[in-house]
Amino acid sequence: MLLSEVGYARPAAVEEAVRLLAEHDGARPLAGGQTILNVMKARAAAPDVLVDLADLEELRAIASTDDGGLVIGAMVTSAELVTSSDVKAARPVLGDVAAQIADVQVRNRGTIGGNVCSNDPTNHLPPVLVAVGATMTIAGADGERDVPAEEFFLGVYMTAVGLGELLTRITLPPLAGARDGFSSVTIGADGTCIVNAAATVSGDEARVVLGCVAATPVLLTAPAEDDAVREAVHGAGLEPPSDVHGSADYRRHLAEVVAARAVAEAGGGG
Amino acid sequence: MEPVTSKRVAVTVNGALHERDVEARRLLVHFLRDELDLTGTHVGCDTGNCGACTVIVDAKAVKSCMLLAVQVDGATIETIESLASDGGLHPLQQAFSDHHALQCGYCTPGMLMSAKHLLDHNAEPTENEIRRAIQGNICRCTGYVNIVEAIAAAAKGEVSA
């Protein structure tokens, strides 16, 4: 399909990217392009300028922190998360979940930054990043600011990244004895999630984050036991959407199931 | 640096360097088909679901309908036209023929490029690895069984002469 006319810039530094994003009202960052190009084909959005982040090397790195955590650049692809030994050592859930995103070709292009900044409620990574307690670093004209993942997702397709700003990296704390889990029910193997849940279990406590049931990931805490987790989800007053893939009632049911499975995978008791 | 609506792009496609002025809005698949006349790469769904447009960019399989031509400036690209050489079929192509792994053939170029990407990175894939490698390629004719058998046969070098 022929896209609407669009400007294109490929800056070599984050400051230059931020300047371009700030100077052009209709400018949008172009990461892997696996969402925005489809959105442009559908004429659902018409950016004036695409700021291609491909040459920003500092956004492509995965690094371990001294305390055993991870710093992941926004332009790291899903395929790179899957094969990274640093990810496997520090927070393996991230690679395990990235391996379930779409297909090989999309994982080769799609980035962690794009996955979270598009904030489609069915995306895989937002619930994971909220569960692990990640920190999102956003660059703007006035420098950088850090936003906790649980405050980052504001609405469908909306995040704390404002106009003229750019998500540059995501910091994951060390496991420090905790364990992570993830469970989903999808449309076909590795397909779009109908409901998903990420869990981080520390001691007897579980942080459970549900995706696909609201505009943003839903964070709950509960004792890390099957019955308690199900009860917490049941009592959360979820009002998930109904669509061709599942009614609201079915999603409410699945939310309990995947939450309990995610907690079990993270070592929570039954 | 200011944004531009078209730019000069240099890409190496199937071993040959091409330089063209390209509009920023031009998708890679249209650049390959319309500018370089490499029409073996097909446009299927045009939404990134079907994989008919799969090509290999810098050793990674990608869907060329979800990439702008300006994004691949400087890249090395392999398309379906690179597989056969000197009039002879690539082992994957021969295996697809041997195993009746195509019917209408529309998905086949993309399917072969995903299969090549798999074997480039994993010389001895399991059946499950083959199935996951072609998950992004939809075939509405075959039911996939013969495609999976063909890729397994090509990996083992079991193709007819």
Side-chain angles (χ1 to χ4, degrees):
Chain A
M1 182 174 294
L2 186 62
L3 303 179
S4 296
E5 188 156 278
V6 66
Y8 176 83
R10 191 161 167 170
V14 169
E15 300 72 39
E16 178 76 353
V18 168
R19 182 186 67 77
L20 285 160
L21 290 166
E23 280 181 3
H24 301 272
D25 287 344
R28 292 289 180 277
L30 175 62
Q34 304 301 282
T35 300
I36 195 168
L37 293 181
N38 274 341
V39 168
M40 290 170 68
K41 288 178 198 169
R43 303 299 197 263
D48 300 330
V49 174
L50 292 174
V51 179
D52 188 349
L53 311 179
D55 288 343
L56 306 181
E57 284 303 320
E58 64 183 278
L59 269 56
R60 294 196 163 276
I62 300 175
S64 299
T65 57
D66 291 341
D67 63 359
L70 278 174
V71 181
I72 299 171
M75 283 291 284
V76 169
T77 65
S78 293
E80 289 164 345
L81 292 176
V82 173
T83 55
S84 164
S85 54
D86 287 333
V87 170
K88 204 176 291 281
R91 274 324 287 218
V93 69
L94 196 59
D96 296 344
V97 173
Q100 299 168 33
I101 295 174
D103 53 53
V104 172
Q105 296 97 314
V106 170
R107 291 194 292 271
N108 278 340
R109 290 292 308 174
T111 64
I112 186 171
N115 192 279
V116 298
C117 286
S118 61
N119 193 29
D120 184 311
T122 66
N123 279 359
H124 292 70
L125 297 179
V128 176
L129 295 177
V130 174
V132 303
T135 301
M136 326 296 271
T137 301
I138 300 169
D142 300 326
E144 289 184 340
R145 63 193 177 98
D146 287 340
V147 177
E150 56 191 89
E151 296 169 17
F152 180 82
F153 302 100
L154 301 181
V156 177
Y157 311 139
M158 289 169 56
T159 70
V161 181
L163 290 174
E165 291 189 318
L166 185 65
L167 176 72
T168 55
R169 64 184 184 276
I170 299 169
T171 305
L172 281 69
L175 270 172
R179 288 175 65 182
D180 300 321
F182 182 83
S183 178
S184 61
V185 174
T186 58
I187 305 162
D190 296 355
T192 303
C193 295
I194 298 172
V195 177
N196 62 29
T200 296
V201 173
S202 310
D204 299 333
E205 279 285 307
R207 272 169 74 88
V208 180
V209 185
L210 294 158
C212 317
V213 295
T216 58
V218 175
L219 170 63
L220 305 167
T221 54
E225 291 164 13
D226 189 275
D227 289 349
V229 169
R230 286 172 182 266
E231 199 173 311
V233 176
H234 190 75
L238 299 174
E239 294 190 24
S242 288
D243 63 23
V244 66
H245 302 299
S247 65
D249 280 343
Y250 182 54
R251 280 197 168 82
R252 261 190 293 271
H253 164 70
L254 287 184
E256 292 183 33
V257 173
V258 295
R261 286 179 183 167
V263 170
E265 189 182 291
Chain B
M1 170 195 294
E2 288 313 309
V4 293
T5 54
S6 80
K7 105 188 251 275
R8 188 112 185 127
V9 167
V11 288
T12 301
V13 183
N14 304 335
L17 180 66
H18 299 272
E19 282 192 53
R20 294 283 192 287
D21 289 317
V22 183
E23 278 190 292
R25 61 175 162 172
R26 196 154 190 75
L27 298 171
L28 176 59
V29 66
H30 296 305
F31 175 76
L32 293 171
R33 290 176 57 85
D34 301 341
E35 302 277 335
L36 303 187
D37 205 25
L38 294 170
T39 54
T41 302
H42 291 167
V43 180
C45 67
D46 205 5
T47 57
N49 286 290
C50 81
C53 65
T54 299
V55 299
I56 297 177
V57 174
D58 290 336
K60 296 196 188 309
V62 302
K63 292 174 178 173
S64 60
C65 81
M66 295 229 282
L67 208 57
L68 300 172
V70 290
Q71 286 178 277
V72 300
D73 187 19
T76 298
I77 299 173
E78 298 166 58
T79 71
I80 185 66
E81 287 87 352
S82 69
L83 290 195
S85 59
D86 300 329
L89 294 180
H90 184 280
L92 274 166
Q93 292 172 308
Q94 186 61 52
F96 269 54
S97 174
D98 292 347
H99 289 266
H100 307 288
L102 62 148
Q103 289 176 31
C104 87
Y106 200 88
C107 73
T108 309
M111 199 66 82
L112 283 165
M113 296 314 286
S114 283
K116 180 171 190 298
H117 177 258
L118 169 68
L119 299 188
D120 284 349
H121 294 85
N122 180 357
E124 296 178 15
T126 63
E127 180 184 334
N128 188 47
E129 286 169 337
I130 292 171
R131 288 181 175 274
R132 292 204 69 203
I134 59 169
Q135 187 172 5
N137 294 76
I138 293 174
C139 172
R140 291 283 92 127
C141 300
T142 65
Y144 302 98
V145 172
N146 289 356
I147 294 174
V148 173
E149 288 177 358
I151 296 170
K156 292 179 190 138
E158 295 170 357
V159 294
S160 61

